[in-house]
Amino acid sequence: PDIDDLIDRALLKTRFFPIPLVAAIRGACIAGALELVLACDIRIAAADARLGFPETSRGIMPSGGGTMKLADQIGYARAMDLLLTGRLISGIEAERIGLVNECPSGAAVWDTARAQARAVAATSRVATRATKRAVALANLGRYQAQEIVERELVAEVRRSGHPEEGKAAFLEKRRPVFGRTIRTAGEGQG
């Protein structure tokens, strides 16, 4: 439970953060890093950035907000593609699907992100924070309720033994071999 609380706080999973956040993404933005980006208000990614959630290919699941926020932000079909396949996408594709706002090349990421931050800073602080809060209120309560269910699912995955195989395979640079899956209560009934 302590790690789940830490993840919730560190990745702004279910908590409101009143100050506008601008993300500048270069290189790899994977797993928890992408979950933190999902809490950002404006996102600028380099064309060659790599973004995604490879957790399922490692025998774990995104637990820092990815499963709760991604579908809201880019739509169900696109979110499930990324979450279930574990594939990584480029900054260009991230812009195309609406995961990031802009996709300049190389070092222009920092200049673009700073320009966006300056534009936000030039607006009314009171109006900006109120606007951010109004938008956030639509989802925060739902995310907090989902957090309870997600923690149960994460515990189930942890008990499966699959995270250990995923970690071993990653360290040994091989494909994981996941054993039999465990059925949950109510699954497969109908």
Side-chain angles (χ1 to χ4, degrees):
D2 292 343
I3 189 71
D4 293 326
D5 289 337
L6 176 64
I7 288 170
D8 187 7
R9 284 189 314 275
L11 301 180
L12 302 173
K13 183 177 178 181
T14 63
R15 294 174 179 11
F16 176 70
F17 191 75
I19 299 168
L21 298 171
V22 177
I25 305 162
R26 292 204 59 199
C29 184
I30 298 170
L34 184 51
E35 287 173 313
L36 183 56
V37 164
L38 291 175
C40 293
D41 305 299
I42 298 173
R43 305 158 192 170
I44 311 301
D48 62 351
R50 304 296 295 160
L51 301 92
F53 291 106
E55 284 90 336
T56 57
S57 65
R58 307 276 193 269
I60 57 177
M61 65 177 278
S63 62
T67 61
M68 298 187 316
K69 295 178 179 180
L70 193 63
D72 280 344
Q73 295 182 16
I74 66 169
Y76 180 84
R78 289 179 171 137
M80 294 308 287
D81 171 29
L82 296 178
L83 291 166
L84 297 179
T85 66
R87 77 182 181 91
L88 303 181
I89 60 174
S90 69
I92 294 169
E93 187 173 354
E95 180 185 27
R96 185 183 60 76
I97 65 174
L99 183 55
V100 302
N101 301 78
E102 288 185 61
C103 187
S105 60
V109 167
W110 304 116
D111 293 336
T112 304
R114 275 193 289 274
Q116 288 281 28
R118 278 191 217 96
V120 171
T123 65
S124 162
R125 185 176 304 157
V126 173
T128 299
R129 287 185 180 187
T131 299
K132 183 172 174 173
R133 185 166 193 80
V135 172
L137 288 175
N139 291 320
L140 279 178
R142 187 165 45 92
Y143 291 158
Q144 290 164 346
Q146 287 176 297
E147 167 72 358
I148 296 165
V149 174
E150 185 179 88
R151 285 188 185 203
E152 293 170 5
L153 294 169
V154 168
E156 180 181 311
V157 171
R158 288 176 182 153
R159 288 190 303 269
S160 73
H162 289 197
E164 289 79 9
E165 169 58 15
K167 180 181 176 181
F170 178 76
L171 293 173
E172 296 168 12
K173 298 182 183 347
R174 62 174 172 81
R175 292 184 86 88
V177 179
F178 297 115
R180 191 174 150 244
T181 58
I182 301 170
R183 280 205 133 136
T184 61
E187 186 179 339
Q189 299 173 0

